[in-house]
Amino acid sequence: MYNRRKFIKASAIGASVIAVSKPTFADNVLPTTHAEIGLRPIVISTWDFGIAANQEAWKTLVKGGRALDAVEAGVKIPEADLHNHSVGRAGYPDRDGHVTLDACIMDEFGNCGAVAGMEDIAHPIMVARMVMERTPHVLLVGEGATQFAVENGLKREKLLTPESEQAWHEWLKKNGKYKPVINTENKLYQQNLPGGKNNHDTIGMLAIDSKGNISGACTTSGMAWKLHGRVGDSPIIGAGLYVDNEIGGATSTGVGEEVIRNVGSFLVVELMRQGYTPQDACKEAVNRIIKRKPQTAKDIQVGFLAINKKGEYGAYAIQKGFTFAVCNATQQNLLVNGPSFY
Ligand code: SD4
């Protein structure tokens, strides 16, 4: 059953700021002040790897560039990272050994583009943007998406890295039955991935540029060991990402099926339209998921991240451990531990 007492307890706890230990990151970062919260330009993104991605996006924002260019450049960092097994080139494969990538992008005019289940192309976010800008369509899938990418000058290449292949073989040895898994903070997931490490997760990024325009991007290799053909929330506009330039933007991470069922990111933006703060909007979207399926929700992670037109941001997740990164003029590398239901 949905536990209201727990909810009240959880909702009273705000986000806490983590001082990142690496020397290039600011130590002892103070909790973000109200003045800092409204600063623009700004870029925020999911998980620890968002720090490096934000810094890349910032290079565009600080020059007065467009938020759309910033988010595309930003998420290409984890897409190219060979140590990242949940986004892009080095993503873990599906049950049958195929690396299939999902991504979407949305600009300040409400234009959007996406690819799903795409193989052999290392930067799905670039293809998503090409779909948006060079076709009358929103979503291309599978071989059609790859073909379109190649026609538009991108290289077709094998993506399965030796590490990913080895991890897949280990999984095949251990697992007779189909049980895809997601998120390191979930015990089930830890048991199913070698070393239980390095599986955070989808990158969802939202930026506001110096003109006040908002764009977002989301990219992932999805659930490790998923059924071939499975598509999560990340390339689905309204589920994994939504931007309304008048209101704000939202993105999600975690078990995509639950996000799709609740049209999560669209819901968060609509709640902000009704006056919810970004954090309260994310919390309400998480609560919908929990209310609908309290038993399922105990064992899964879903996190939302949102920003409003003023540059105020917030997040909320089902499980503890959902971090997000913030970058603006006063801090380039802030990592925030988002509040959660459990
Ligand atoms: C999916 N939402 O494919 C993605 C995966 C993810 O944290 O975000 N993991 O369902």
Side-chain angles (χ1 to χ4, degrees):
M1 267 298 288
Y2 174 68
N3 183 334
R4 189 164 163 74
R5 267 183 59 212
K6 251 203 162 130
F7 162 67
I8 292 167
K9 192 167 141 247
S11 65
I13 304 167
S16 58
V17 178
I18 298 172
V20 181
S21 55
K22 284 195 187 162
T24 47
F25 302 161
D27 266 343
N28 303 317
V29 177
L30 295 170
T32 315
T33 66
H34 225 71
E36 281 175 334
I37 285 176
L39 267 190
R40 298 184 318 201
I42 182 170
V43 55
I44 60 175
S45 57
T46 54
W47 303 115
D48 302 22
F49 55 36
I51 289 177
N54 284 354
Q55 286 173 353
E56 187 64 27
W58 183 251
K59 291 178 190 166
T60 299
L61 295 174
V62 77
K63 286 189 293 203
R66 191 176 168 202
L68 183 71
D69 294 325
V71 296
E72 183 189 13
V75 302
K76 279 171 73 180
I77 298 296
E79 279 186 347
D81 181 356
L82 293 179
H83 299 294
N84 186 326
H85 296 302
S86 56
V87 179
R89 173 185 291 278
Y92 281 148
D94 64 19
R95 186 193 62 174
D96 302 340
H98 301 270
V99 179
T100 64
L101 304 179
D102 299 338
C104 73
I105 195 160
M106 196 159 181
D107 74 8
E108 69 271 33
F109 304 112
N111 297 315
C112 47
V115 290
M118 184 177 70
E119 295 184 50
D120 301 335
I121 303 287
H123 284 297
I125 200 64
M126 292 177 72
V127 191
R129 184 167 177 177
M130 288 170 180
V131 172
M132 176 173 83
E133 293 180 338
R134 301 181 191 184
T135 80
H137 309 303
V138 168
L139 174 62
L140 293 183
V141 304
E143 179 53 27
T146 305
Q147 189 185 319
F148 170 76
V150 172
E151 280 168 12
N152 281 274
L154 299 189
K155 192 165 116 206
R156 186 190 278 268
E157 57 190 316
K158 182 183 165 220
L159 298 185
L160 189 65
T161 64
E163 293 76 25
S164 295
E165 190 166 13
Q166 192 191 337
W168 172 57
H169 283 301
E170 278 175 34
W171 175 78
L172 282 177
K173 267 188 257 154
K174 273 196 287 168
N175 290 271
K177 62 180 183 216
Y178 179 63
K179 195 199 266 175
V181 283
I182 222 157
N183 280 102
T184 308
E185 64 271 13
N186 175 339
K187 269 193 229 119
L188 247 184
Y189 194 55
Q190 286 168 11
Q191 286 158 11
N192 277 276
L193 288 165
K197 58 180 188 217
N198 201 12
N199 291 290
H200 285 285
D201 279 307
T202 297
I203 184 155
M205 176 178 279
L206 301 161
I208 309 183
D209 60 31
S210 50
K211 295 197 176 85
N213 287 325
I214 310 170
S215 291
C218 186
T219 176
T220 190
S221 53
M223 279 178 175
W225 336 133
K226 62 195 174 185
L227 274 181
H228 186 55
R230 180 264 182 191
V231 172
D233 58 323
S234 305
I236 308 296
I237 295 293
L241 177 75
Y242 196 71
V243 171
D244 181 324
N245 202 40
E246 284 180 12
I247 304 301
T251 189
S252 63
T253 181
V255 177
E257 281 74 2
E258 297 311 322
V259 179
I260 294 173
R261 286 184 181 113
N262 293 278
V263 199
S265 291
F266 182 72
L267 174 61
V268 171
V269 172
E270 289 306 299
L271 290 166
M272 291 195 292
R273 191 190 306 279
Q274 290 169 27
Y276 281 63
T277 64
Q279 181 174 317
D280 285 348
C282 293
K283 186 161 67 180
E284 178 58 24
V286 162
N287 286 338
R288 295 255 178 116
I289 292 171
I290 296 169
K291 268 187 238 177
R292 277 205 178 156
K293 293 193 175 190
Q295 289 311 319
T296 307
K298 276 188 195 151
D299 291 324
I300 63 163
Q301 175 66 302
V302 171
F304 291 103
L305 176 65
I307 194 161
N308 67 17
K309 188 74 178 168
K310 288 187 267 182
E312 296 165 336
Y313 55 81
Y316 201 80
I318 299 178
Q319 311 289 343
K320 282 194 190 68
F322 173 41
T323 55
F324 64 95
V326 180
C327 178
N328 60 25
T330 62
Q331 51 211 349
Q332 308 287 286
N333 45 34
L334 179 65
L335 189 63
V336 183
N337 197 4
S340 61
F341 181 83
Y342 288 109

